[in-house]
Amino acid sequence: MSVIAKKSSTLKFSVMDPRNFKGDHTKILANAAESAKRSDMQRATEAHGDRMENTGLIGGPYTLSSDNSRYSRRTELFEALYAEKQAALALLPETKISVTLPNGDVKEGIAYKTSPMDIALGIAKGLADSVIIAKVEYTNRLDTENIVACDDDEDEDDVILPVDTNSELWDMGRPLVGDCKLSLLKFDDPEAKTVFWHSSAHVLGAAIEATYGSHLTIGPALNDGFYYDTYMGTKAIEPDDLKKIESKADEVCKKKYSFDRLVLTKAQALEMFDSNPFKVNLI
């Protein structure tokens, strides 16, 4: 069901009391949207706190570098752990699942193998090309994951949002894990937009790393776009830098990297990001 909820700053939990709520839902949602827009603009355009010059904060010395070999260990560790996970999934027995579409059609699949992308391709390639993210409501889930995510920002504003308590967003390439109801969301869907902007932030982060070798910090989606904070010591981004970053981002997009999901233990995450003090701090 959908309810009106008070959202925490990290989207990890909601505090709600629908029975005693007497406010104007329409007015509250409109005010929340305007507040979120102001907050987004502030986060995207204003610097907060000291510039980390001789402050002893966690950024430390910074040297401009386009040497991508500094990230090779991180990539190698990811690929090894990802291959290990895929090998473990391949050993699972085949279990048939039923996937129900919004129009009532039922598609058959195999747990841990069939993905939303497979379902979309089975309907039409044009559909598969236009879908951003899937939305899944499990009626018989074969597994559960206990995941704690890093906080993605420290914005203390509360936002009133409609929350769907039964469904979850599901990567298009991520195998389904049970009988479910499946919706395929395109860019015109607000939740799909958020996913698209989030993915775009990672493209931006990859471009910044490749151009400057700086330490990425946080980079969530905004209501109408995205950003990525990065620590670059005393260096400031100039107009010419924006052209370099945009050019590198175009290169990243043309390589058509996949977005692969991998759940790590805390120890594995710390090892993977041990060269970035900000990520270590978040973990």
Side-chain angles (χ1 to χ4, degrees):
M1 79 177 170
S2 293
V3 298
I4 299 299
K6 180 179 180 183
K7 190 199 78 167
S8 75
S9 63
T10 57
L11 265 179
K12 291 186 182 58
F13 64 90
S14 298
V15 179
M16 60 196 81
D17 187 11
R19 292 173 301 175
N20 297 323
F21 184 78
K22 301 181 192 260
D24 183 330
H25 289 73
T26 303
K27 183 177 180 180
I28 287 176
L29 287 169
N31 291 344
E34 181 60 31
S35 175
K37 186 174 181 180
R38 287 196 304 270
S39 178
D40 283 353
M41 287 301 296
Q42 182 185 44
R43 287 156 58 194
T45 59
E46 292 185 11
H48 296 278
D50 295 331
R51 295 288 296 170
M52 291 195 176
E53 296 179 47
N54 303 316
T55 61
L57 299 182
I58 65 176
Y62 165 73
T63 302
L64 181 70
S65 174
S66 58
D67 178 11
N68 288 335
S69 66
R70 66 174 66 192
Y71 307 118
S72 59
R73 181 170 175 273
R74 183 182 67 189
T75 302
E76 289 168 2
L77 182 58
F78 176 90
E79 291 177 347
L81 291 171
Y82 187 77
E84 183 179 304
K85 177 65 174 179
Q86 296 306 109
L89 291 177
L91 295 176
L92 294 175
E94 288 197 356
T95 302
K96 292 184 178 180
I97 58 173
S98 297
V99 181
T100 305
L101 302 177
N103 64 0
D105 287 351
V106 178
K107 304 292 183 180
E108 298 299 319
I110 303 295
Y112 303 103
K113 292 186 178 180
T114 302
S115 68
M117 180 58 75
D118 294 328
I119 300 294
L121 285 170
I123 299 172
K125 187 178 185 304
L127 172 64
D129 290 341
S130 63
V131 172
I132 301 295
I133 193 73
K135 194 167 188 178
V136 177
E137 180 182 340
Y138 281 102
T139 54
N140 178 33
R141 183 165 180 160
L142 303 179
D143 82 338
T144 58
E145 290 181 318
N146 182 23
I147 299 173
V148 177
C150 297
D151 290 353
D152 59 0
D153 70 57
E154 297 178 356
D155 188 356
E156 297 299 325
D157 292 339
D158 287 328
V159 180
I160 306 298
L161 290 175
V163 177
D164 186 340
T165 59
N166 297 320
S167 301
E168 60 183 300
L169 296 179
W170 201 266
D171 298 336
M172 288 297 292
R174 180 184 176 188
L176 298 164
V177 295
D179 300 329
C180 62
K181 299 176 183 178
L182 174 70
S183 300
L184 301 172
L185 308 184
K186 299 180 180 180
F187 186 73
D188 56 358
D189 184 280
E191 289 182 294
K193 275 191 175 73
T194 298
V195 172
F196 185 87
W197 295 137
H198 191 157
S199 299
S200 301
H202 284 286
V203 172
L204 173 61
I208 293 170
E209 280 191 336
T211 305
Y212 302 107
S214 54
H215 291 313
L216 299 180
T217 57
I218 58 171
L222 303 173
N223 285 335
D224 297 306
F226 57 95
Y227 73 97
Y228 218 127
D229 282 338
T230 183
Y231 174 65
M232 307 176 75
T234 60
K235 177 176 173 52
I237 295 293
E238 306 292 345
D240 286 344
D241 291 304
L242 296 178
K243 296 175 184 177
K244 294 176 184 177
I245 294 170
E246 183 175 0
S247 176
K248 185 60 68 173
D250 285 341
E251 289 182 28
V252 172
C253 290
K254 288 174 182 177
K255 290 182 179 179
K256 298 185 182 296
Y257 293 113
S258 60
F259 285 87
D260 298 318
R261 183 177 187 274
L262 178 64
V263 178
L264 302 173
T265 65
K266 182 177 181 179
Q268 289 169 337
L270 286 170
E271 182 181 2
M272 186 174 293
F273 292 98
D274 63 0
S275 64
N276 185 324
F278 296 94
K279 295 300 185 185
V280 167
N281 183 268
L282 285 170
I283 296 167

